[in-house]
């Protein structure tokens, strides 16, 4: 489902933050260390859907998305590992 879906209200703002600039934070390598194993892409090049998938599967900081993304770089987007 879309990041705008009510089921993703808990994660939407942090997913957008990570996609739009959080990935450049000095702590990003430790925060987003699971991106490669979950989405098969580096967090620096991840799409918004890849970020939603990360926060659906293994949310850094606990703000879990209620549903997986509709699209991601390496489907299926609803399978975590």
């Amino acid at each position: 489902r879309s990041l705008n879906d009510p089921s993703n209200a808990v994660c939407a703002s942090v997913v957008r933050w990570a996609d739009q600039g959080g990935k450049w934070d000095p702590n990003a390598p430790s925060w987003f260390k699971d991106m490669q194993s979950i989405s098969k892409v580096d967090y620096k090049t991840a799409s918004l859907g890849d970020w939603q998938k990360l926060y659906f599967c293994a949310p850094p900081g606990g703000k879990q998305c209620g549903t997986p993304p509709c699209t991601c770089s390496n489907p299926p987007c609803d399978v975590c590992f």
Side-chain angles (χ1 to χ4, degrees):
R1 291 190 181 175
S2 164
L3 192 57
N4 297 321
D5 189 86
S7 64
N8 293 319
V10 170
C11 73
S13 64
V14 72
V15 167
R16 288 188 182 96
W17 169 82
D19 180 57
Q20 294 170 1
K23 60 187 168 189
W24 305 118
D25 187 282
N27 294 307
S30 63
W31 291 342
F32 308 130
K33 64 185 180 300
D34 293 329
M35 179 65 84
Q36 185 70 45
S37 62
I38 291 171
S39 293
K40 309 292 187 265
V41 294
D42 186 88
Y43 70 88
K44 294 175 188 170
T45 59
S47 68
L48 186 63
D50 296 328
W51 286 105
Q52 184 177 343
K53 183 175 180 178
L54 176 67
Y55 277 83
F56 173 72
C57 293
K63 294 185 182 276
Q64 188 166 21
C65 289
T67 59
C70 299
T71 60
C72 62
S73 295
N74 295 296
C77 301
D78 61 344
V79 174
C80 292
F81 292 97

